[in-house]
Structures are given as structure tokens and as C-alpha cells.
Amino acid sequence: MCRASVDGMVKLWSVWRMPRLCRLHRYTLLTGTVLVTLVLTNICISDVMDARKDGSVHRNEWVPHDWTAQHHNAKHGRYDPTTAEIQKRVKHLQNRCRRMEGNDGVLRRVYVSEGANLAYCPVAKIGTTFWKRVILYLNNDTGSNQVHSPFEIPRSFVHYGNTTNTTVLKRWQINEAILNKYTRIMFTRDPYARLWSAYLDKLYLPDFWKRHAGSIIKTRQNITEDALKCHHDVTFREFLEKVVSGSKIRKNEHWQPVKYRCDPCQFKPNIVGKMETFSDDARYVLEAVGRQWMMESFDYDAYVQEELTTLIDYNFQLRLGRFNHPCLNKTELVRRLWTVFQWNGFLPMSTDATSVIEQLTKLPTITRKVFTAFVLDIYFSASKTERRSWKGQRQQALTAAYRHIPISVLKSVMDLFKEDFEDFGYSNIPPGFERAAL
């Protein structure tokens, strides 16, 4: 840049001496060139003033969070793979964003903790409840709930409570100057796993039967009267066909690509965590903001208990609604919940839903409390070794789900989530498939 300003002055002198230029043209050319040269020179000086001792320029800087020194001390000087992996992810994103021509991504909202100097960009189905709890606790924004840990904040308050101390930046409020004040974190997830999770929670269970399932059912050539009335039997294939159709910008947040919820090229995260390594990555983030004790208070069994209890409570309540009640009896709801818990790796595959229903129907009535007690008894009566072994059921269920999806639909999923696969280092090959099969 500085060399260009010198070269410009040399060329100006050669043009000035051209005999055919009239005096007016010469003076016009001189004035314009001097102005350009001054601008270029000012930029050069600014770069020099902004340069750090290592020679880099920090203007519009986007760097991976470097917790290396403190983290190594905590690890007694040993190499920490979590630190290295998180920095690798951020650098990969930086390179991707630099090469990108144009950007139609969207940054919808950012949760902020001023005290911890932390900014979190949420994406549905990627640990949002966990991180919203952390932000609310950091901001002392727990309403009337007296809690000693973020994980004691009720889930209902996290998502629907009246919070007063937490800043949530909307699209029109977000700019680079504001974001640069914080350590910025985001979490990602394998798109195939995220879609399967969304299907189970929202369409296999009745949460979205009324709002979204109806439009899917109506695309069928032969619609049964029950399906038209209840929207209760959307298949995973039909769900994926719905996901890949229509606008990328206007999709439901539970199955919209990350780029259109939390565009990393706009958010410029200092820390990128993944659901697949959630415990290690969450611990790293909390150490970075001096709150490592929070992970020590996180209990996996308590998390599973809350997950089971919340899904039972919520779906039993949904069943009482005007739309769902005529379509979903307690026996069918128990069957679906039990199956989802198995597919999520919370309950053993050895006890199938049919045998559970047979046991429960011997009781005077199947209530929410009775079913909850039954589920938790099965979970906690198993040894920790058994409970750990159930986690493998998740991948088995995921692989089985995609095995029956047509190649044409899978290719559409690969295309829709192309940036998610490439930005965050996930394979675009569906679970259980070989690359040659596509």
C-alpha cells in the first residue's frame, strides 16, 4: 500500500511532462492524484500505528480465545487437546469466511453477560437450555427462584420466564463494535443428529402436530381420515422432505441451518464448542470466564432425570389439549415416550414399550406421576456401567433412521446443510452410508 503511493507520484511526474496535456488538465490531474496519494499514505500510517509487536494488525481482529497459559497451569503444564481443538476450529472458520464471496447468513440474537464479558449465540437443539441457564445465573436473573447453581433454574423459567437483567441483542442491535467487547461463544452439532433429534421431540412426540405436521400430511397422495384429523403419523422421510423444501431463511429454528440462525462469519466466535464434545468444551468456556465450579456442580444423572421428567410432564400436558386429546390416548403416549427415551440412550433396549404398557395397565390408572416413577426406577436401578452402555443406542437409532431415506432426499439434506458440514468440520456422508453409495 505504501509502495503504491510512491509509485503513483513517480507516474504523475511522467504524465505531467506529456506535451499534449493542456494546463487545466494538468492541474486537474495533479489535484486528484495528490488526494489519492494522501489517502493511501494515511492508511499506511494507520497500519503502522495499529500493528502490534509481532507485526500483526489488530484492526477488525478476530482471534481464537487463548486460554492456553492458564489452562496449561490447571493441567500441570501438560498439553491440553481441548484448547488445541477449539483454536483449530476457530482458525478453520476464519479461513472459510475469508474465502467466502458474498454472505447471505443471518445473526438473529445474542445473549450477553456483562459481568463475565461473555456473548452467546444460541441455535436450537444444540445445548441452548444449558447455556441460557449459565447466562441467567451469571446475570443474577433467576426471578423468584432461589438457586445455588445454574442447573437449578427451572427449564420453564429459562425459556418462558420474565427475565429482567439479561440483555438479548436482536438483529438490528448487533454490530461488530458491540460484539468485539465480549468473548464470543457458539456451539454446533452434526446436522444429521440435530435433524433426528428435532423429529423425535417435535413430530414423533406431539409438540408440533398441530402447527407443522398438518402441512406435511397434506402433501400425501392418499390421506387417511385419522391422519387428516390428528397429524399424528409423520414419518422421518416426510419430515426431511419438508425440511429441504422452501426458503432457507424462513425455516423453523429447530431444523434451520446454523448459518441462518447464528452466522459464524458475522458473529466471529472466539470459542466454538460441539455437542459431540460438550462436557470438555463447556468446561473450557467456564474456565475461560472464571466459573469452572459450575461444571463441578453439573450432574449427568440429574440432567437425565430432568430430561425424562420434563418430557413426560410436557407431553402429558399436551395430550390434554383440545387438538391432541381425541387423537392420543395415554397408552400410545407412553409407548412413544418410552421409545424416544430408548433411542436417546436413557433407557435399555432390553425392555420394550409393549412390556412396559402391559405392566402399567395392571395398575388402576396410568398417570403422569405413575409413569415418571416407573421410568426413573428403571434408570436409577441400573448400574452406572449399564447406563453408560445405553449411550451407544443413540448412534444405532440414528443409523437405522437414515438407512431408509432415499438417496435423492439425502442429497438435498447435504446441499441444504453444506455450510454447516464445511464450516464446522462434519462429514456430509449420512450415518451408515459409504461415500460410494451417494
Side-chain angles (χ1 to χ4, degrees):
M1 187 76 74
C2 297
R3 177 66 184 171
S5 62
V6 175
D7 291 345
M9 294 301 293
V10 171
K11 291 178 181 179
L12 172 63
W13 178 249
S14 63
V15 172
W16 179 267
R17 297 180 62 188
M18 292 176 63
R20 292 185 179 180
L21 286 177
C22 68
R23 182 176 299 177
L24 178 59
H25 286 170
R26 286 182 178 180
Y27 281 112
T28 301
L29 179 63
L30 176 63
T31 302
T33 306
V34 168
L35 288 173
V36 170
T37 303
L38 287 172
V39 171
L40 293 174
T41 304
N42 183 60
I43 292 175
C44 293
I45 293 172
S46 178
D47 281 352
V48 172
M49 294 298 291
D50 280 349
R52 293 186 173 183
K53 292 180 180 180
D54 62 2
S56 65
V57 177
H58 74 243
R59 198 174 55 246
N60 298 327
E61 188 175 38
W62 174 18
V63 296
H65 184 275
D66 188 2
W67 181 238
T68 307
Q70 297 96 318
H71 213 56
H72 279 193
N73 289 338
K75 300 287 183 179
H76 306 291
R78 292 176 295 180
Y79 171 76
D80 177 40
T82 302
T83 301
E85 179 60 28
I86 286 177
Q87 293 184 345
K88 178 182 174 182
R89 293 170 192 165
V90 175
K91 290 175 181 177
H92 172 74
L93 264 182
Q94 289 175 314
N95 292 332
R96 288 267 305 154
C97 293
R98 289 193 191 104
R99 293 194 303 267
M100 191 175 296
E101 294 183 5
N103 182 20
D104 61 346
V106 179
L107 185 55
R108 294 185 182 273
R109 65 176 63 90
V110 174
Y111 284 71
V112 169
S113 171
E114 297 288 351
N117 202 40
L118 192 67
Y120 164 63
C121 192
V123 180
K125 304 304 299 177
I126 313 182
T128 53
T129 301
F130 179 98
W131 287 111
K132 286 181 181 179
R133 276 177 164 151
V134 168
I135 294 291
L136 293 180
Y137 189 86
L138 289 171
N139 293 342
N140 193 26
D141 199 1
T142 61
S144 60
N145 301 291
Q146 301 297 317
V147 298
H148 300 91
S149 157
F151 312 114
E152 294 176 6
I153 304 174
R155 184 183 293 244
S156 58
F157 182 83
V158 171
H159 294 290
Y160 310 111
N162 181 25
T163 57
T164 56
N165 299 336
T166 300
T167 300
V168 182
L169 301 174
K170 305 298 193 303
R171 290 173 65 175
W172 59 88
Q173 299 171 309
I174 300 171
N175 59 56
E176 190 170 292
I178 290 176
L179 291 178
N180 282 345
K181 293 165 33 181
Y182 306 103
T183 297
R184 302 175 296 280
I185 69 167
M186 68 180 295
F187 272 67
T188 66
R189 186 177 190 176
D190 183 301
Y192 293 117
R194 182 171 170 236
L195 289 172
W196 174 238
S197 177
Y199 170 72
L200 293 182
D201 281 0
K202 304 302 178 185
L203 289 162
Y204 186 78
L205 294 175
D207 195 7
F208 279 7
W209 286 4
K210 183 177 180 180
R211 282 188 285 169
H212 292 279
S215 62
I216 299 175
I217 295 291
K218 290 175 183 177
T219 62
R220 295 177 180 173
Q221 291 184 346
N222 299 307
I223 310 174
T224 66
E225 186 176 340
D226 280 349
L228 192 59
K229 174 186 175 184
C230 298
H231 312 164
H232 65 301
D233 59 352
V234 171
T235 65
F236 186 48
R237 171 181 173 173
E238 289 175 321
F239 167 68
L240 291 180
E241 289 173 339
K242 171 67 174 179
V243 167
V244 299
S245 66
S247 168
K248 296 178 181 180
I249 301 292
R250 297 180 181 178
K251 295 188 185 303
N252 182 273
E253 64 175 320
H254 294 86
W255 50 82
Q256 191 172 43
V258 171
K259 179 177 179 178
Y260 302 101
R261 303 300 309 176
C262 180
D263 177 27
C265 294
Q266 294 183 53
F267 186 57
K268 300 182 178 181
N270 307 111
I271 300 175
V272 177
K274 289 188 173 184
M275 281 293 285
E276 294 76 15
T277 52
F278 191 87
S279 294
D280 289 338
D281 297 348
R283 184 174 290 105
Y284 177 91
V285 173
L286 294 173
E287 284 182 1
V289 296
R291 306 298 196 282
Q292 54 265 40
W293 66 265
M294 288 186 182
M295 275 308 287
E296 296 169 5
S297 70
F298 179 75
D299 183 286
Y300 179 76
D301 289 334
Y303 156 74
V304 172
Q305 179 174 346
E306 185 199 36
E307 193 75 9
L308 296 171
T309 304
T310 300
L311 275 176
I312 293 171
D313 288 349
Y314 184 64
N315 284 282
F316 263 74
Q317 188 66 33
L318 282 176
R319 196 193 72 82
L320 299 176
R322 183 180 302 175
F323 181 83
N324 292 322
H325 189 64
C327 301
L328 185 64
N329 60 42
K330 289 182 181 178
T331 301
E332 175 61 13
L333 178 57
V334 164
R335 185 185 70 79
R336 291 188 181 229
L337 282 166
W338 187 269
T339 303
V340 167
F341 295 156
Q342 289 178 312
W343 286 341
N344 283 336
F346 296 150
L347 293 175
M349 295 298 292
S350 57
T351 307
D352 64 18
T354 301
S355 65
V356 170
I357 291 169
E358 288 175 355
Q359 294 180 60
L360 290 174
T361 51
K362 294 177 182 178
L363 301 173
T365 182
I366 303 176
T367 65
R368 173 182 57 81
K369 290 184 177 180
V370 166
F371 182 54
T372 301
F374 184 88
V375 167
L376 294 180
D377 181 63
I378 295 293
Y379 180 81
F380 284 106
S381 64
S383 67
K384 288 194 173 183
T385 302
E386 287 180 285
R387 296 201 292 264
R388 280 197 298 270
S389 71
W390 299 343
K391 293 181 181 180
Q393 297 168 189
R394 297 178 190 174
Q395 190 61 35
Q396 294 169 9
L398 185 67
T399 300
Y402 280 96
R403 187 177 295 139
H404 303 291
I405 306 301
I407 298 297
S408 59
V409 177
L410 292 175
K411 286 185 175 180
S412 295
V413 171
M414 292 165 66
D415 182 62
L416 175 62
F417 288 88
K418 182 177 185 294
E419 283 85 1
D420 282 12
F421 290 121
E422 295 179 356
D423 286 349
F424 305 112
Y426 291 108
S427 170
N428 67 348
I429 305 301
F433 280 76
E434 300 290 338
R435 184 173 294 275
L438 300 172

